[in-house]
Amino acid sequence: MELDTIKDAFDCIAKKQKLSSSKYQEVVDRVGHEIEQALAKIEAINDPLSLVDLKSILTELEVELNTIGPLHQLEGLQKERNINLSKYPKLLEKSFNPDISKAYRNVDFDFHIVNQIVASHFYRQGLFDLGDCLINEAGEPEAIAIRSHFLEMYQILDALKVKNLEPALNWITANRDKLKQNGSTLELKLHRLQFVEIIQKGTKADALSYARTYLAPFASLHMNEFQKLVVCIIWVGKLDSCPHAELMAQTHWEEFTEELTQQFCSLVGQSYQSPLSVVIAAGLEGLPTLLKLANVMAAKRQEWQAMKQLPVPVELGKEFQFHSVFVCPVSRDQDSEENPPMLMPCLHVLCKQSIMKLSKSSSRTFKCPYCPTVVSAAQCRQLYF
């Protein structure tokens, strides 16, 4: 990936710069040391009017400075750094074609949807003033429906920053059934955080009372977790020696905040990540490939934007893969509703169109391209991912 090449080149320049700065300082320190020694010798001369002694000291200083060769050393370092710096802009120019319009495909956007996506992004980031401004200026009042959800979420998150669990508890209690359906253990984790706060700042009696009231209902399904928490009561006042000291880690608050955000977004029908951020990030990652394709197709005087399918794959990271995709090993086509993946008796998989071609529209059997098994189209079953 080109971004990795650019990062490596930048890291190399930064390393050279750091090395040069260190070397510069070393040379300057050596020159300064020699000058200071010479000054000390001059001050120590018994006869201030003795030109012979003064001249010998300066001659000795000149010899030492010539031995160090500060100008020669600094020029060499500067030259090496400049060579790397001169190559970097060329790499940037090569990697980031300024004319990204070549990768643009003329699509009729629904600007109402775009406005709502952008406004939703602002609300998701907690930028409510910006979201409100966009909605008012763009005239998109229906987009404000999502505002109240994210406003409630940020009120909960702001409370968590000061370790106030009450808003989170109220929300979890109100959505307990839905969270259970999602397999979430947020309520247990919340009570665990509160219990840990009590054993750190309260008494054994307080901790025991809280455990009986709020942790005991979870004991049957989470006995191991429950036992660890109860054992901590014994160690109140000396928690550093507690065998389960990891329960006191600050990371549990961070993990709880992240999981609560995920569950909150899920229950209000929103993705955890901002769709706008994901689309832009995926576009940036795929842009170099599209620009290369545009240049190659232009050289061949072919129009790539009219193609239904790109002739080259656009590789994206796993963070941009939200569902399984099957590519037929025979035709190299991606599966679709009209061309679904089909499982053969030998357990190899091809797309339906490939099977129809191999079987001459189901009129004859054919040999699997990957093993000796003879297959008929009727034996193949559609595969669902």
Side-chain angles (χ1 to χ4, degrees), residues 97 99 101-103 289-307 311:
N97 189 327
D99 186 13
S101 63
K102 293 178 182 178
T289 301
L290 295 176
L291 288 173
K292 281 185 180 179
L293 173 62
N295 290 331
V296 171
M297 298 297 282
K300 293 181 178 180
R301 297 183 179 180
Q302 295 179 347
E303 180 56 55
W304 71 274
Q305 293 192 5
M307 296 180 175

Short mmCIF file of all heavy atoms in Angstrom, two decimals, residues 97 99 101-103 289-307 311:
data_model
loop_
_atom_site.label_atom_id
_atom_site.label_comp_id
_atom_site.label_asym_id
_atom_site.label_seq_id
_atom_site.Cartn_x
_atom_site.Cartn_y
_atom_site.Cartn_z
N ASN A 97 -1.70 11.97 -6.54
CA ASN A 97 -2.01 12.70 -7.77
C ASN A 97 -2.98 13.82 -7.41
O ASN A 97 -4.08 13.57 -6.91
CB ASN A 97 -2.66 11.74 -8.78
CG ASN A 97 -2.80 12.37 -10.15
OD1 ASN A 97 -3.01 13.58 -10.26
ND2 ASN A 97 -2.68 11.56 -11.18
N ASP A 99 -4.86 15.55 -9.18
CA ASP A 99 -6.11 15.55 -9.96
C ASP A 99 -6.93 14.31 -9.60
O ASP A 99 -7.01 13.36 -10.37
CB ASP A 99 -5.78 15.58 -11.46
CG ASP A 99 -7.05 15.74 -12.30
OD1 ASP A 99 -8.10 16.06 -11.72
OD2 ASP A 99 -6.97 15.55 -13.52
N SER A 101 -9.97 14.12 -9.51
CA SER A 101 -11.22 14.10 -10.27
C SER A 101 -11.25 12.95 -11.28
O SER A 101 -12.31 12.56 -11.76
CB SER A 101 -11.42 15.43 -11.00
OG SER A 101 -10.39 15.65 -11.96
N LYS A 102 -10.06 12.40 -11.60
CA LYS A 102 -10.02 11.26 -12.53
C LYS A 102 -10.76 10.06 -11.96
O LYS A 102 -11.26 9.23 -12.71
CB LYS A 102 -8.57 10.87 -12.81
CG LYS A 102 -7.77 11.92 -13.59
CD LYS A 102 -6.34 11.45 -13.78
CE LYS A 102 -5.52 12.50 -14.51
NZ LYS A 102 -4.10 12.07 -14.67
N ALA A 103 -10.78 9.97 -10.64
CA ALA A 103 -11.45 8.83 -10.00
C ALA A 103 -12.91 9.14 -9.70
O ALA A 103 -13.60 8.32 -9.10
CB ALA A 103 -10.72 8.46 -8.71
N THR A 289 -5.62 3.09 -6.10
CA THR A 289 -5.91 2.06 -7.10
C THR A 289 -6.80 2.62 -8.20
O THR A 289 -6.59 2.36 -9.40
CB THR A 289 -6.61 0.86 -6.44
OG1 THR A 289 -5.77 0.33 -5.42
CG2 THR A 289 -6.91 -0.23 -7.46
N LEU A 290 -7.80 3.41 -7.83
CA LEU A 290 -8.70 3.99 -8.82
C LEU A 290 -7.98 4.99 -9.73
O LEU A 290 -8.24 5.05 -10.93
CB LEU A 290 -9.87 4.69 -8.12
CG LEU A 290 -10.82 3.77 -7.33
CD1 LEU A 290 -11.88 4.59 -6.61
CD2 LEU A 290 -11.48 2.75 -8.26
N LEU A 291 -7.05 5.76 -9.16
CA LEU A 291 -6.29 6.71 -9.96
C LEU A 291 -5.39 5.99 -10.96
O LEU A 291 -5.26 6.40 -12.12
CB LEU A 291 -5.47 7.63 -9.06
CG LEU A 291 -6.27 8.67 -8.27
CD1 LEU A 291 -5.36 9.39 -7.29
CD2 LEU A 291 -6.94 9.67 -9.20
N LYS A 292 -4.76 4.90 -10.50
CA LYS A 292 -3.93 4.11 -11.41
C LYS A 292 -4.78 3.54 -12.54
O LYS A 292 -4.38 3.56 -13.72
CB LYS A 292 -3.25 2.97 -10.64
CG LYS A 292 -2.03 3.39 -9.85
CD LYS A 292 -1.38 2.17 -9.23
CE LYS A 292 -0.14 2.57 -8.43
NZ LYS A 292 0.52 1.39 -7.80
N LEU A 293 -5.94 3.03 -12.18
CA LEU A 293 -6.85 2.46 -13.18
C LEU A 293 -7.26 3.52 -14.18
O LEU A 293 -7.26 3.28 -15.40
CB LEU A 293 -8.08 1.88 -12.49
CG LEU A 293 -9.20 1.39 -13.42
CD1 LEU A 293 -8.71 0.25 -14.30
CD2 LEU A 293 -10.41 0.96 -12.61
N ALA A 294 -7.60 4.72 -13.68
CA ALA A 294 -8.02 5.80 -14.57
C ALA A 294 -6.91 6.17 -15.54
O ALA A 294 -7.15 6.40 -16.74
CB ALA A 294 -8.43 7.02 -13.74
N ASN A 295 -5.66 6.22 -15.06
CA ASN A 295 -4.53 6.57 -15.94
C ASN A 295 -4.28 5.50 -16.99
O ASN A 295 -4.02 5.79 -18.16
CB ASN A 295 -3.26 6.78 -15.10
CG ASN A 295 -3.33 8.03 -14.25
OD1 ASN A 295 -3.99 9.00 -14.63
ND2 ASN A 295 -2.67 8.02 -13.11
N VAL A 296 -4.34 4.21 -16.57
CA VAL A 296 -4.13 3.11 -17.51
C VAL A 296 -5.22 3.08 -18.58
O VAL A 296 -4.94 2.94 -19.78
CB VAL A 296 -4.07 1.76 -16.76
CG1 VAL A 296 -4.08 0.59 -17.73
CG2 VAL A 296 -2.84 1.70 -15.87
N MET A 297 -6.47 3.23 -18.14
CA MET A 297 -7.59 3.20 -19.09
C MET A 297 -7.53 4.39 -20.04
O MET A 297 -7.88 4.28 -21.23
CB MET A 297 -8.91 3.18 -18.33
CG MET A 297 -9.11 1.97 -17.43
SD MET A 297 -9.15 0.42 -18.34
CE MET A 297 -10.81 0.46 -18.99
N ALA A 298 -7.10 5.54 -19.52
CA ALA A 298 -6.98 6.73 -20.37
C ALA A 298 -5.91 6.52 -21.44
O ALA A 298 -6.07 6.93 -22.59
CB ALA A 298 -6.66 7.95 -19.52
N ALA A 299 -4.81 5.85 -21.04
CA ALA A 299 -3.74 5.58 -22.01
C ALA A 299 -4.22 4.63 -23.11
O ALA A 299 -3.77 4.71 -24.25
CB ALA A 299 -2.53 4.99 -21.28
N LYS A 300 -5.14 3.72 -22.74
CA LYS A 300 -5.69 2.78 -23.72
C LYS A 300 -6.93 3.34 -24.43
O LYS A 300 -7.56 2.64 -25.23
CB LYS A 300 -6.07 1.47 -23.03
CG LYS A 300 -4.87 0.72 -22.48
CD LYS A 300 -5.32 -0.59 -21.82
CE LYS A 300 -4.13 -1.38 -21.30
NZ LYS A 300 -4.54 -2.65 -20.65
N ARG A 301 -7.25 4.60 -24.06
CA ARG A 301 -8.43 5.27 -24.65
C ARG A 301 -9.71 4.47 -24.40
O ARG A 301 -10.54 4.28 -25.29
CB ARG A 301 -8.23 5.50 -26.15
CG ARG A 301 -7.07 6.44 -26.45
CD ARG A 301 -6.94 6.70 -27.93
NE ARG A 301 -5.83 7.63 -28.18
CZ ARG A 301 -5.48 8.05 -29.40
NH1 ARG A 301 -6.15 7.61 -30.47
NH2 ARG A 301 -4.47 8.88 -29.54
N GLN A 302 -9.82 3.98 -23.19
CA GLN A 302 -11.02 3.25 -22.79
C GLN A 302 -11.69 4.00 -21.64
O GLN A 302 -11.02 4.65 -20.83
CB GLN A 302 -10.68 1.82 -22.36
CG GLN A 302 -10.13 0.97 -23.49
CD GLN A 302 -9.77 -0.43 -23.03
OE1 GLN A 302 -9.71 -0.70 -21.84
NE2 GLN A 302 -9.53 -1.33 -23.97
N GLU A 303 -13.00 3.90 -21.55
CA GLU A 303 -13.76 4.58 -20.50
C GLU A 303 -14.12 3.59 -19.41
O GLU A 303 -14.90 2.67 -19.62
CB GLU A 303 -15.03 5.19 -21.10
CG GLU A 303 -15.90 5.93 -20.09
CD GLU A 303 -15.14 7.02 -19.36
OE1 GLU A 303 -14.56 7.90 -20.03
OE2 GLU A 303 -15.11 6.99 -18.11
N TRP A 304 -13.51 3.76 -18.23
CA TRP A 304 -13.73 2.80 -17.15
C TRP A 304 -15.00 3.11 -16.36
O TRP A 304 -15.58 2.24 -15.73
CB TRP A 304 -12.53 2.79 -16.20
CG TRP A 304 -12.39 4.02 -15.35
CD1 TRP A 304 -11.77 5.17 -15.70
CD2 TRP A 304 -12.90 4.22 -14.04
NE1 TRP A 304 -11.85 6.08 -14.69
CE2 TRP A 304 -12.54 5.53 -13.64
CE3 TRP A 304 -13.62 3.44 -13.14
CZ2 TRP A 304 -12.87 6.05 -12.41
CZ3 TRP A 304 -13.94 3.97 -11.91
CH2 TRP A 304 -13.58 5.26 -11.54
N GLN A 305 -15.46 4.36 -16.40
CA GLN A 305 -16.61 4.72 -15.59
C GLN A 305 -17.91 4.08 -16.07
O GLN A 305 -18.88 4.00 -15.32
CB GLN A 305 -16.76 6.24 -15.57
CG GLN A 305 -15.61 6.93 -14.85
CD GLN A 305 -15.90 8.39 -14.57
OE1 GLN A 305 -17.00 8.87 -14.84
NE2 GLN A 305 -14.93 9.09 -14.04
N ALA A 306 -17.92 3.63 -17.32
CA ALA A 306 -19.13 2.99 -17.84
C ALA A 306 -19.19 1.50 -17.49
O ALA A 306 -20.20 0.85 -17.73
CB ALA A 306 -19.18 3.16 -19.36
N MET A 307 -18.12 0.98 -16.90
CA MET A 307 -18.08 -0.45 -16.56
C MET A 307 -18.98 -0.74 -15.37
O MET A 307 -19.06 0.04 -14.43
CB MET A 307 -16.65 -0.88 -16.22
CG MET A 307 -15.68 -0.77 -17.37
SD MET A 307 -14.02 -1.30 -16.85
CE MET A 307 -13.15 -1.20 -18.42
N PRO A 311 -12.17 -3.73 -13.43
CA PRO A 311 -11.32 -4.84 -13.92
C PRO A 311 -10.24 -5.24 -12.92
O PRO A 311 -9.56 -6.24 -13.12
CB PRO A 311 -10.69 -4.24 -15.19
CG PRO A 311 -10.70 -2.77 -14.97
CD PRO A 311 -11.92 -2.46 -14.15
#
